[in-house]
Amino acid sequence: MGWDYAHRGLHDNLWGIPENSLPAFQAAVDKGYGIELDVHITADHQLIVHHDDTLYRMCRVERAIKDMTLEEIRQYTLLNTDEKIPTLKEVLDLVNGKVPLLIELKSESHNCNTLCRIFNHAMRTYSGKYIIESFNPLALRWFKKNEPSILRGQLSCNFFKEKPHCDLVLFMITVLGSNFLSRPDFISYKYTDYKNPSVQMNCGFFRARLALWTIKTMDAYNTVREHADMIIFEGFEP
């Protein structure tokens, strides 16, 4: 609590420090910021740090991570740099407990249990501080059942703004309706939507802390900082 987390590391995609890359994480460590990062599982059950489901935006390769092995993924570089998509182990070795980690599990229903189990095993030897979050309430449910001591957060936003014709699942995530099953320790909500009554009610009823994402200006930071226990920022330094 009380930390500012660099969204996907302290990166600058236009100036050779790609998001979710080792240089971006090193820059955050050097400046003393917490780090927000994203974890996917590959086809051969390896954990990598990358945001999107595919490699297209960052590597210009139209392939899905879930269909690729680690060896295949490591053939490509991030944007116009020599940096490759790092493994979770590489990131943990670099950070080595110097700053806390806010780790988003990018899980789908079909691989949720596998990702949670392999991730949990990988983190057992890590001595640094970390918490997890996910849009998928099934991932939080897994940790509530199997590793309740690991703090977990429900990621969400107002999907009615993002996708006006959202389905029942997105509706439940928007109003945090699954929280009675996953019992999150914190709510991680899009900062423009945090006044949503569902957020306030859940923080009160479940005594959950509040993380706000992704703050991109100093003005926005100053506006919401006193209302949040954690801030996820990008594109500037608080």
Side-chain angles (χ1 to χ4, degrees):
M1 300 300 103
W3 279 79
D4 294 329
Y5 290 83
H7 188 234
R8 308 175 195 171
L10 202 59
H11 67 85
D12 190 330
N13 286 343
L14 297 178
W15 291 96
I17 307 178
E19 65 184 58
N20 276 325
S21 69
L22 294 180
F25 299 138
Q26 184 64 63
V29 169
D30 292 343
K31 292 293 184 69
Y33 294 117
I35 295 172
E36 185 271 351
L37 57 90
D38 310 278
V39 171
H40 278 275
I41 189 168
T42 65
D44 55 342
H45 290 178
Q46 302 299 306
L47 299 177
I48 64 166
V49 177
H50 191 71
H51 178 267
D52 300 357
D53 294 334
T54 76
L55 300 189
Y56 181 74
R57 183 174 62 89
M58 296 299 293
C59 303
R60 291 293 182 257
V61 177
E62 190 62 89
R63 296 188 65 184
I65 289 173
K66 66 181 179 64
D67 298 327
M68 301 176 68
T69 65
L70 177 60
E71 183 178 0
E72 291 174 316
I73 289 169
R74 299 285 267 187
Q75 295 175 15
Y76 305 104
T77 58
L78 295 166
L79 299 178
N80 296 315
T81 72
D82 294 328
E83 296 299 321
K84 296 180 183 293
I85 294 173
T87 65
L88 177 61
K89 184 180 185 306
E90 288 173 332
V91 176
L92 297 179
D93 288 345
L94 182 152
V95 177
N96 194 28
K98 297 182 182 72
V99 296
L101 301 176
L102 174 56
I103 302 174
E104 179 182 348
L105 300 180
K106 308 291 276 190
S107 67
E108 300 178 27
S109 296
H110 74 277
N111 70 0
C112 184
N113 286 348
T114 301
L115 171 60
C116 291
R117 176 175 51 80
I118 293 175
F119 171 82
N120 185 51
H121 180 76
M123 298 302 292
R124 284 179 178 167
T125 57
Y126 184 66
S127 59
K129 294 181 179 180
Y130 71 95
I131 53 181
I132 65 164
E133 62 180 4
S134 183
F135 279 101
N136 189 343
L138 296 178
L140 306 188
R141 178 68 175 173
W142 190 96
F143 277 91
K144 179 180 183 297
K145 178 181 178 182
N146 295 283
E147 291 286 356
S149 65
I150 297 175
L151 299 180
R152 57 198 180 275
Q154 178 64 58
L155 265 166
S156 190
C157 63
N158 188 341
F159 281 106
F160 294 113
K161 289 183 181 178
E162 311 291 327
K163 302 179 180 180
H165 303 292
C166 68
D167 57 23
L168 179 60
V169 173
L170 293 182
F171 167 77
M172 290 295 288
I173 295 175
T174 295
V175 300
L176 304 171
S178 62
N179 285 3
F180 72 96
L181 290 175
S182 56
R183 295 298 176 95
D185 299 291
F186 64 98
I187 308 298
S188 189
Y189 219 81
K190 190 172 183 178
Y191 84 96
T192 54
D193 304 328
Y194 82 96
K195 292 184 179 180
N196 181 331
S198 297
V199 176
Q200 308 302 316
M201 182 177 67
N202 273 263
C203 286
F205 184 77
F206 294 113
R207 297 182 179 179
R209 301 298 184 95
L210 180 62
L212 294 179
W213 57 271
T214 300
I215 314 301
K216 297 188 176 182
T217 68
M218 196 67 205
D219 286 343
Y221 178 90
N222 289 332
T223 298
V224 303
R225 188 66 188 92
E226 66 181 70
H227 303 289
D229 298 291
M230 296 176 284
I231 291 287
I232 297 95
F233 71 92
E234 181 181 67
F236 74 104
E237 292 185 40

Short mmCIF file of all heavy atoms in Angstrom, two decimals, residues 12 21 65 150 169 213:
data_model
loop_
_atom_site.label_atom_id
_atom_site.label_comp_id
_atom_site.label_asym_id
_atom_site.label_seq_id
_atom_site.Cartn_x
_atom_site.Cartn_y
_atom_site.Cartn_z
N ASP A 12 9.45 3.66 -22.35
CA ASP A 12 9.20 4.68 -23.36
C ASP A 12 9.32 3.99 -24.71
O ASP A 12 10.41 3.81 -25.25
CB ASP A 12 10.19 5.84 -23.25
CG ASP A 12 9.80 7.03 -24.13
OD1 ASP A 12 9.17 6.79 -25.18
OD2 ASP A 12 10.10 8.17 -23.76
N SER A 21 9.81 -4.74 -20.64
CA SER A 21 11.15 -5.22 -21.02
C SER A 21 12.08 -5.09 -19.82
O SER A 21 11.81 -4.34 -18.87
CB SER A 21 11.70 -4.40 -22.19
OG SER A 21 12.00 -3.07 -21.78
N ILE A 65 0.10 -15.89 -28.15
CA ILE A 65 1.06 -16.44 -27.20
C ILE A 65 0.69 -17.85 -26.79
O ILE A 65 1.55 -18.72 -26.66
CB ILE A 65 1.16 -15.52 -25.97
CG1 ILE A 65 1.88 -14.22 -26.35
CG2 ILE A 65 1.89 -16.21 -24.82
CD1 ILE A 65 1.89 -13.18 -25.27
N ILE A 150 -1.58 -14.86 -0.18
CA ILE A 150 -1.13 -13.97 -1.25
C ILE A 150 -2.24 -12.97 -1.54
O ILE A 150 -3.37 -13.35 -1.90
CB ILE A 150 -0.78 -14.77 -2.51
CG1 ILE A 150 0.40 -15.71 -2.23
CG2 ILE A 150 -0.43 -13.83 -3.66
CD1 ILE A 150 0.76 -16.62 -3.37
N VAL A 169 -20.87 -11.64 -18.43
CA VAL A 169 -19.61 -11.77 -17.70
C VAL A 169 -18.99 -10.39 -17.48
O VAL A 169 -18.57 -10.05 -16.36
CB VAL A 169 -18.63 -12.69 -18.45
CG1 VAL A 169 -17.26 -12.67 -17.77
CG2 VAL A 169 -19.18 -14.12 -18.49
N TRP A 213 -5.81 2.72 -12.00
CA TRP A 213 -5.00 2.64 -13.21
C TRP A 213 -5.70 3.37 -14.36
O TRP A 213 -6.90 3.57 -14.29
CB TRP A 213 -4.76 1.17 -13.61
CG TRP A 213 -6.03 0.37 -13.80
CD1 TRP A 213 -6.75 -0.33 -12.87
CD2 TRP A 213 -6.73 0.18 -15.04
NE1 TRP A 213 -7.85 -0.93 -13.45
CE2 TRP A 213 -7.86 -0.64 -14.77
CE3 TRP A 213 -6.52 0.63 -16.35
CZ2 TRP A 213 -8.78 -1.02 -15.76
CZ3 TRP A 213 -7.43 0.25 -17.34
CH2 TRP A 213 -8.55 -0.58 -17.03
#
